Amino acid sequence: MSTRRKFLVVADDTPEYQTALRFACRRAQSTGGYVALLRVIQPAVFEHWSGVREEIARQQRQEAETALQLSAEFVQAETGLPPEFLILEADSTRAALKRVLSEDPDIKILVLAASAGRGGPGPLVSAIGKDGTRFGSRKVPVTIVPGDLTDDEIAALA
């Protein structure tokens, strides 16, 4: 079991992701931890042509790796350590979180950023607010930061 604190960030295409990533990097750097990036891909559904399904799944995984690689350069620069990539096929982000948090006891903190828009904090933050922070068989602390934090505000908090 690792003695370093692992900060998990859901790597999606929302603007809030960048805020959560910057915050997690600062916390990891200041506490001697490291960052793990979870990218969720939807299962390809083609019942009749398995070759098509396999090709779509391959392309989704390649796109996920490319997206994570862009973030990896930032994480490396901020923390001095490469991030851990977690690419999971799941029906929802919540299902993927349950799986990865149940399987990896080294993940100590989930970092999310709440949407700053009028549409509410976002589906994942709302779900956690409603259902709590139990993911499978364990409870995991969740840090929710405002999605519109500036770099200076993040530096002051982290």
Side-chain angles (χ1 to χ4, degrees):
M1 187 161 154
S2 172
T3 58
R4 300 189 123 203
R5 182 181 302 180
K6 187 186 301 187
F7 293 83
L8 179 64
V9 180
V10 177
D12 57 20
D13 298 322
T14 64
E16 296 82 27
Y17 161 59
Q18 296 302 320
T19 304
L21 180 62
R22 289 192 326 265
F23 184 86
C25 286
R26 285 292 184 121
R27 289 294 299 146
Q29 197 273 332
S30 68
T31 63
Y34 64 104
V35 175
L37 302 174
L38 172 63
R39 185 77 178 195
V40 180
I41 53 179
Q42 298 294 316
V45 181
F46 271 93
E47 295 175 11
H48 300 293
W49 302 300
S50 66
V52 173
R53 181 179 58 239
E54 290 168 5
E55 178 61 19
I56 290 173
R58 188 192 64 73
Q59 287 177 356
Q60 286 177 319
R61 183 161 190 85
Q62 186 175 16
E63 289 169 8
E65 288 173 0
T66 300
L68 290 177
Q69 197 56 48
L70 293 172
S71 295
E73 294 170 14
F74 176 79
V75 173
Q76 178 80 37
E78 289 291 308
T79 67
L81 296 170
E84 180 179 338
F85 288 176
L86 304 168
I87 300 173
L88 293 180
E89 187 176 288
D91 290 328
S92 71
T93 301
R94 182 114 173 125
L97 277 171
K98 280 185 175 184
R99 191 165 98 207
V100 75
L101 292 171
S102 293
E103 294 172 359
D104 189 346
D106 289 341
I107 297 172
K108 303 300 183 197
I109 297 174
L110 171 61
V111 179
L112 300 172
S115 174
R118 283 191 252 167
L124 194 53
V125 173
S126 294
I128 288 171
K130 180 182 166 198
D131 300 333
T133 57
R134 181 173 289 281
F135 295 96
S137 60
R138 63 188 278 234
K139 293 180 183 176
V140 177
V142 179
T143 299
I144 301 173
V145 297
D148 59 354
L149 286 178
T150 66
D151 287 340
D152 289 340
E153 290 169 328
I154 290 171
L157 291 171

